């Protein structure tokens, strides 16, 4: 049982969280500081993650999930004018149960969440934005690809409380199914307790578009290569906010490797 | 010499016959203008040659240098040297033009194309078509205007260097300046790589810039008349009615609107299956 606690200073940090040995993980950013953190999730087990963003700080946090089995309870506290860019890359074969709460507790806080999941087993994801102050902003984009025995339930929740006037909460969830039997279930929910706000949600779900496949094939790509290209494109949207080119390359390569492994049948 | 030969081609869609015996030979360097009223089979011919799964060939052959095209998969036809500039190009979210073209070029060679060479070719093509260089990093056709989509088709043709390019109304949606640029590029490619082309268009304006060597009019699924350049001009000036008298046939023009874009995500409070493509 070990406690990992970090105060993040400016610049780039790469950390590994081994779920087999750790149960708690704390991250704290500093006032006015901008930092990028890449966390590798490995092992098997559960953990509680607590991340606090101090006033005016910016944190770009990317979780690369390669754990065998993960149960994660995450909470993010965002103070005044802080900005959290949160990205989840779940490309592991194992199951994952994640409950993630972002609390925008002071004015001007904002969160941009992007998640990409390649689902081969059971996955339950709950992402919740809690707007508890004015002028807070939340945008959530979820990209899911389900394969063979994959089973996913995704709860995308935006909650704007009474005192959170002039806030916005938006979400988009897209699911690509390769799975004839099980379908991913997406549950978008918006709880709005103030009238001077903006909120939206959009979902789409389906097979790979046959017209897209035909178009790619008409340029010489085989059906497998076409599907692979579409899936990689889908999942790599989460890399858009990564400024460090070397990291972006590395993550792109691991996405491509994983997709090739899974799509070449 | 490269030859694309279409013999007695019959094509149906949902058991409804569209092409009723088309004969056509396109040799390298030739420019064939394919005209005819809407709904009479022009797009069908091009799509059937490319292998669109919706179209069923019930009779006839298509050969490329003697090889049977109809037995090949869509991607094999492309690799054999066929290219189709589509009327309604697909939007593919998440896949950049650069990734798409790199994959398309790599599938044709044993060794992956060197990155620098690729970037140079892509940038050069984009520049020649007078498009912005950022286009390479945009998702394929996403948010593109009609004209940009058409120029993107030509850009792909420039990189893939097909033996035969079939262009389905490539000039629609382009303003005069864009048409000039596309025509220039097309003429250059025909000259430098001996490419043969089959162009579907209604407008003489385009045929003035890309001079056809052959012209055909397709009515009710058959080529009713073939000729040279002057046939294209006559159709532009007089339409198709004169053919009714001259050939003793009846012309039916169909107005069909087929929406080809599948919307990836919608507005609020609705979920839609992406497999619903035609409406």
């Amino acid at each position: 049982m070990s406690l990992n606690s970090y105060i993040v200073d400016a610049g780039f940090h790469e950390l590994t969280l081994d779920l087999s040995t750790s149960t708690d993980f704390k991250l704290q950013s500093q006032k006015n500081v901008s930092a990028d953190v890449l966390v590798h999730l490995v092992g098997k087990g559960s953990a509680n993650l607590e991340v606090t963003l101090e006033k005016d700080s910016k944190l770009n946090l990317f979780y690369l999930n390669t754990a065998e089995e993960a149960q994660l309870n995450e909470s993010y506290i965002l103070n005044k004018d802080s900005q959290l860019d949160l990205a989840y890359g779940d490309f592991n074969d194992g199951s994952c149960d994640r409950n993630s709460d972002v609390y925008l507790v002071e004015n001007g806080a904002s969160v941009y969440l992007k998640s990409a999941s390649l689902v081969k087993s059971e996955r339950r994801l709950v992402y919740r934005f809690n707007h508890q102050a004015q002028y807070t902003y939340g945008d959530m984009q979820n990209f899911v690809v389900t394969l063979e025995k994959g089973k996913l339930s995704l709860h995308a929740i935006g909650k704007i409380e009474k005192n959170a006037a002039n806030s916005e909460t938006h979400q988009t969830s897209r699911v690509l199914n390769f799975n004839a039997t099980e379908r991913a279930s997406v549950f978008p929910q918006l709880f709005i307790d103030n009238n001077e706000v903006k909120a939206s949600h959009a979902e789409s779900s389906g097979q790979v578009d046959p017209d897209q496949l035909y178009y790619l094939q008409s340029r010489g790509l085989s059906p497998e290569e076409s599907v692979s290209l579409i899936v990689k494109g889908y999942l790599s949207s989460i890399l858009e906010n990564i400024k460090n080119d070397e990291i972006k390359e590395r993550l792109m390569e691991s996405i491509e490797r994983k997709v090739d492994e899974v799509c070449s049948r | 010499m490269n030859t694309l030969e279409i013999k007695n081609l019959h094509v149906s869609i949902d058991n409804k016959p569209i092409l009723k015996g088309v004969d056509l030979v396109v040799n390298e360097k030739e420019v064939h203008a394919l005209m005819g009223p809407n709904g009479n089979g022009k797009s069908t011919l091009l799509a059937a040659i490319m292998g669109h799964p919706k179209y069923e060939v019930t009779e006839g052959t298509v050969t490329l240098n003697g090889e049977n095209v109809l037995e090949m998969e869509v991607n094999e036809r492309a690799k054999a040297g066929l290219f189709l500039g589509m009327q309604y190009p697909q939007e593919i979210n998440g896949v950049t033009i650069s990734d798409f073209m790199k994959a398309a070029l790599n599938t044709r060679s044993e060794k992956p194309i060197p990155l620098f060479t690729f970037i140079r070719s892509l940038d050069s093509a984009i520049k020649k078509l007078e498009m912005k260089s950022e286009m390479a990093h945009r998702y394929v056709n996403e948010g593109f205007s009609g004209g940009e989509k058409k120029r993107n088709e030509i850009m792909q043709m420039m990189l893939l260097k097909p033996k035969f390019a079939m262009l389905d109304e490539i000039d629609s949606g382009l303003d005069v300046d864009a048409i000039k640029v596309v025509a220039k590029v097309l003429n250059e490619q025909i000259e430098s790589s001996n490419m043969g082309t089959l162009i579907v268009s209604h407008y003489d304006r385009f045929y003035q810039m890309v001079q056809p060597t052959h012209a055909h009019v397709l009515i009710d699924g058959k080529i009713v008349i073939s000729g040279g350049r002057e046939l294209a001009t006559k159709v532009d000036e007089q339409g198709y009615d004169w053919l009714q008298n001259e050939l003793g046939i009846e012309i039916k023009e169909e107005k069909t609107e087929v929406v080809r874009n599948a919307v990836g995500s919608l507005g609020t409070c609705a979920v839609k299956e992406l497999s619903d493509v035609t409406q």
Side-chain angles (χ1 to χ4, degrees):
Chain A
M1 288 248 272
S2 60
L3 173 71
N4 300 297
S5 189
Y6 302 90
I7 294 185
V8 184
D9 49 14
F12 174 72
H13 310 263
E14 194 165 350
L15 308 164
T16 300
L17 180 59
D18 189 343
L19 297 170
S20 310
T21 56
S22 324
T23 53
D24 289 288
F25 179 73
K26 278 185 158 79
L27 254 188
Q28 191 174 331
S29 70
Q30 300 176 76
K31 275 202 190 120
N32 272 310
V33 170
S34 183
D36 297 75
V37 179
L38 169 59
V39 179
H40 295 269
L41 294 170
V42 304
K44 192 172 166 175
S46 64
N48 297 314
L49 282 63
E50 250 181 64
V51 178
T52 309
L53 272 72
E54 291 303 329
K55 183 162 122 75
D56 289 312
S57 63
K58 269 185 87 167
L59 180 61
N60 199 328
L61 182 52
F62 190 107
Y63 290 100
L64 184 60
N65 186 356
T66 51
E68 268 178 67
E69 217 181 275
Q71 283 109 48
L72 302 156
N73 258 307
E74 306 174 20
S75 67
Y76 300 86
I77 315 278
L78 271 55
N79 289 302
K80 191 165 190 298
D81 294 323
S82 60
Q83 179 178 322
L84 173 64
D85 280 279
L86 184 54
Y88 293 110
D90 294 320
F91 309 122
N92 53 327
D93 291 347
S95 65
C96 177
D97 193 316
R98 181 189 288 119
N99 207 302
S100 187
D101 270 286
V102 178
Y103 298 95
L104 301 115
V105 299
E106 288 182 348
N107 287 11
S110 57
V111 57
Y112 300 86
L113 187 157
K114 280 193 156 118
S115 79
S117 301
L118 200 54
V119 183
K120 281 174 83 173
S121 53
E122 283 212 35
R123 204 158 280 175
R124 185 171 181 274
L125 305 170
V126 178
Y127 298 135
R128 195 185 284 106
F129 289 167
N130 301 280
H131 296 258
Q132 299 173 340
Q134 292 195 46
Y135 298 100
T136 55
Y137 188 93
D139 183 77
M140 188 192 299
Q141 291 180 28
N142 300 310
F143 300 92
V144 177
V145 178
T146 57
L147 305 147
E148 303 295 282
K149 296 197 174 72
K151 195 171 166 185
L152 169 90
S153 75
L154 169 64
H155 299 255
I157 303 160
K159 206 166 173 229
I160 302 188
E161 298 192 10
K162 218 177 287 207
N163 63 330
N166 302 304
S167 292
E168 290 187 44
T169 200
H170 304 283
Q171 48 164 270
T172 307
S173 299
R174 298 186 191 222
V175 179
L176 207 58
N177 282 307
F178 281 127
N179 201 316
T181 50
E182 294 282 359
R183 290 186 37 177
S185 309
V186 177
F187 305 98
Q189 293 169 72
L190 292 173
F191 301 99
I192 315 286
D193 269 328
N194 186 302
N195 285 327
E196 329 232 314
V197 301
K198 287 198 182 122
S200 73
H201 69 104
E203 294 77 41
S204 67
S205 163
Q207 314 285 98
V208 179
D209 187 341
D211 276 350
Q212 286 184 347
L213 282 182
Y214 166 65
Y215 187 68
L216 294 177
Q217 286 176 65
S218 75
R219 285 12 184 185
L221 298 174
S222 68
E224 295 76 30
E225 286 169 331
S226 304
V227 164
S228 169
L229 200 62
I230 291 175
V231 171
K232 281 175 194 166
Y234 222 58
L235 298 175
S236 62
S237 324
I238 50 164
L239 302 177
E240 271 164 27
N241 289 334
I242 303 206
K243 291 164 240 145
N244 187 321
D245 281 336
E246 197 218 307
I247 302 297
K248 201 170 181 169
E249 261 303 310
R250 228 206 301 159
L251 291 170
M252 189 66 226
E253 272 166 29
S254 58
I255 294 178
E256 285 176 353
R257 229 181 304 127
K258 196 72 202 180
V259 172
D260 284 335
E261 194 186 292
V262 152
C263 281
S264 51
R265 277 177 286 109
Chain B
M1 180 174 82
N2 294 319
T3 303
L4 178 66
E5 192 162 343
I6 298 135
K7 268 202 206 132
N8 193 31
L9 193 64
H10 289 71
V11 173
S12 295
I13 177 173
D14 290 334
N15 289 320
K16 178 175 166 220
I18 310 277
L19 297 181
K20 301 171 183 173
V22 174
D23 291 290
L24 185 59
V25 177
V26 182
N27 293 307
E28 66 180 41
K29 279 199 108 139
E30 289 176 358
V31 178
H32 288 245
L34 188 61
M35 301 170 290
N38 287 332
N40 278 257
K42 304 189 301 297
S43 289
T44 301
L45 177 60
L46 269 46
I49 295 171
M50 200 66 230
H52 194 292
K54 188 166 85 167
Y55 298 100
E56 200 199 333
V57 174
T58 53
E59 211 185 317
T61 61
V62 177
T63 57
L64 175 59
N65 295 337
E67 274 186 66
N68 187 349
V69 165
L70 299 176
E71 265 176 14
M72 300 180 200
E73 299 289 340
V74 174
N75 60 312
E76 287 165 352
R77 299 184 196 198
K79 288 201 276 194
L82 294 180
F83 179 85
L84 173 60
M86 303 198 191
Q87 200 176 1
Y88 304 105
Q90 281 295 303
E91 293 186 11
I92 310 197
N93 176 263
V95 179
T96 61
I97 302 245
S98 174
D99 287 338
F100 179 25
M101 283 297 100
K102 195 156 17 112
L105 286 168
N106 283 337
T107 196
R108 286 165 163 78
S109 72
E110 292 271 329
K111 280 197 306 215
I113 181 171
L115 193 59
F116 185 66
T117 312
F118 169 69
I119 292 177
R120 227 188 7 206
S121 309
L122 182 58
D123 279 344
S124 159
I126 291 175
K127 220 176 254 146
K128 281 213 180 112
L129 288 165
E130 295 181 9
M131 294 192 287
K132 300 193 201 102
S133 56
E134 302 89 72
M135 205 203 71
H137 303 292
R138 289 175 67 182
Y139 295 147
V140 178
N141 294 321
E142 200 177 69
F144 283 26
S145 67
E148 281 174 327
K149 285 184 187 172
K150 294 297 169 77
R151 277 188 285 176
N152 181 31
E153 295 295 283
I154 297 295
M155 188 274 294
Q156 294 175 32
M157 184 196 78
M158 289 165 81
L159 288 174
L160 299 175
K161 299 195 177 40
K163 297 190 175 89
F164 291 96
M166 301 182 286
L167 305 175
D168 199 349
E169 304 212 13
I170 202 72
D171 54 337
S172 79
L174 295 180
D175 62 34
V176 173
D177 291 323
I179 291 184
K180 282 198 186 131
V181 165
V182 165
K184 181 164 182 263
V185 158
L186 206 46
N187 285 324
E188 268 172 22
Q189 191 150 333
I190 293 170
E191 186 58 46
S192 64
S193 65
N194 296 334
M195 185 175 72
T197 54
L198 184 52
I199 301 178
V200 169
S201 172
H202 294 294
Y203 303 112
D204 194 52
R205 172 181 63 177
F206 189 60
Y207 292 132
Q208 269 175 32
M209 296 189 220
V210 183
Q211 297 266 332
T213 54
H214 301 70
H216 317 272
V217 178
L218 190 65
I219 292 182
D220 195 25
K222 286 179 95 146
I223 292 178
V224 298
I225 188 170
S226 294
R229 173 86 190 82
E230 74 297 333
L231 179 59
T233 310
K234 190 168 185 187
V235 165
D236 184 65
E237 285 169 2
Q238 300 179 32
Y240 300 107
D241 290 342
W242 58 277
L243 287 165
Q244 288 187 121
N245 302 324
E246 198 156 309
L247 302 172
I249 53 176
E250 201 200 317
I251 297 179
K252 282 171 257 176
E253 176 150 3
E254 243 178 59
K255 293 211 165 72
T256 45
E257 281 263 312
V258 181
V259 177
R260 293 206 187 274
N261 290 329
V263 178
S265 81
L266 307 173
T268 55
C269 310
V271 178
K272 185 176 170 74
E273 287 293 316
L274 286 175
S275 51
D276 283 336
V277 176
T278 52
Q279 292 171 342

